[in-house]
Amino acid sequence: MSLDTLVQNKVLKDAMTVAIVCNQFGDTGKGKFVDLLSTWADVIARGTGGANAGHTIKIGSVEHVFHLIPSGILHDRAGKYNIIGRGVVLDPRVVVKELDLLDKASLPYERLRLSMNAKLVLPQHLVMDRIKEAKSGKEIGTTGRGIGPCYEDHTGRRGLVLNDILNRDVFVRKLKRNLAHHNTVLSTLDPDMQFTKKIMEHEHLANGAYFSQTQRFDLDVIVEMYATTYAGRIGAMITDTEARLRDYVGRKKILLEGAQGYLLSVDYGSHPYVTSSDASIEGLAKGVGIRVRDVDLVLGIVKAPYMTRVGVGPFPTEYGGERSEKHCQAEGMTIDLEQELYFDNALHHDNEFLRGIAIRKIGGEKGATTGRPRRVGRLDLPLLRYSTQTNGNKVILTKLDVFDDADKIEICKAYVYKGPAYRMGKYTLKQGHILFCAPQDPEILKHCEPIYGKLPGWNQKTPGIRTYEELPQKMRDLVEYIERKAKVEVVMISLGPEREQTIVRGGAAGIRS
Ligand code: IMP
């Protein structure tokens, strides 16, 4: 039986709307599964995040990182629609750049549709994002793509939507009002405009073309670029994608492509170390304009037996703790440079910081958008129990092959709280308390010390294996340990980047979890 048939018969069954989300901090390999399920789907839609996301698409022999256009675009020729929904913060510059790449490779995008209600990313959002990060000493470690400021404008009721670029007068009016706000804030943050000027010299900001010595932002240049150049290039793709998707529910096969991960959700993650959209299934459904109950099957991706995080924020199981966090954030650090600096690294090294470097190398763990080394830690079941509360219990495990040569494996089963007494309403959390489900509050999470369960490694290469029964017994023990301890159902396992390197276990009985 082909892989596609196996996936359809054993996992998707009669589901019509399927979502792929991440149950960790993003970068768990959603792209591979979106691609795998794209052959099944009629429509592939994104609903959250923006150019902070990144997935690698191979065009010919060259790999390109795409940030906004859904991974399903390579299936346009097969008649599939790709949609960017209303919940996305859309930077037209990035879309145009990605379209140029597709043009160069003669790849069609006739069926790409952009929501008229997508939030419009403007130059001031990138400036604001970068200036705040620079002034706070990279407090959050954002991707610098203007994500937070654009969503802030939306909730602050001064944002623009994509369709505004098609109505020049409306665009100018809204832009003026929006710039008035940002200019006021920037006049305090950067009174002599030196920072703004420097930031605006970046190619993401038209190499300085938007800067005005007198007004900070040159309104005319922005209007020309957005309402003429971008409107001309992407105007015909802009439509009411929500109405279209609502009409498709139950009639066509819809695949929803999540962005980032549950633990970075603005609603469920550990504030402020989060992105600014809701990366859960709830945010995704809303972001494409359908109801959560219209989603028949949610597949949550989980990296195991290790996990990763990019940017600042609590990560209880991190190999090398604080040292690793600082190291990964250091200016100019790359996974190649760390291999030179710390060549004595290995999967079994006694020093866990060096163990982390080895895992990063074997797993190729560098940020697709920023190129930063990703922080690595052990699989954390309290965090998994937390994310499956919203995303459901059907999971896909990825990257297990990275641990093929490991002697032993540590999995965090619970935390012991080691911080000062901490009030939570009537209850006081005290030193020594055991927690099985991760708390959202970073003030608690940062004092949580993991309790590890130890399992033996399988010491066998696995990327060539195609069935669950053929997997080493010790790997299966690990899979079943995760299922038991986190009350999840593992429906697929990924053992490498290629689509065929996928084990379909099935068993996603019934629809909704
Ligand atoms: P922002 O989304 O650029 O505002 O960044 C906020 C936080 O989310 C930072 O810690 C980023 O590193 C993290 N982040 C944003 N997008 C991704 C992603 O696609 N993968 C992993 N981390 C991300």
Side-chain angles (χ1 to χ4, degrees), residues 25-27 30 52-54 129 140-149 259-261 264 272-276 309-313 329 369-370 372 374:
F25 294 101
D27 310 314
K30 284 184 292 285
N52 49 354
D129 194 3
I140 312 288
T142 73
T143 58
R145 300 303 195 266
I147 309 298
Q260 283 81 45
L264 288 174
Y273 308 107
V274 292
T275 187
S276 297
R309 169 165 208 168
V310 183
V312 182
Q329 285 289 113
T369 301
T370 57
R372 290 180 285 190
R374 293 176 182 150

Side-chain angles (χ1 to χ4, degrees), residues 97-136:
K97 195 171 161 210
E98 293 175 3
L99 295 179
D100 286 346
L101 277 173
L102 294 171
D103 277 339
K104 240 190 186 162
S106 305
L107 289 168
Y109 46 83
E110 272 162 53
R111 292 169 197 81
L112 176 64
R113 299 288 179 272
L114 314 174
S115 168
M116 55 194 291
N117 297 311
K119 282 83 200 143
L120 186 65
V121 175
L122 289 152
Q124 56 268 38
H125 297 135
L126 274 80
V127 170
M128 218 38 145
D129 194 3
R130 293 175 191 198
I131 223 165
K132 279 189 185 164
E133 278 288 293
K135 294 253 168 183
S136 68

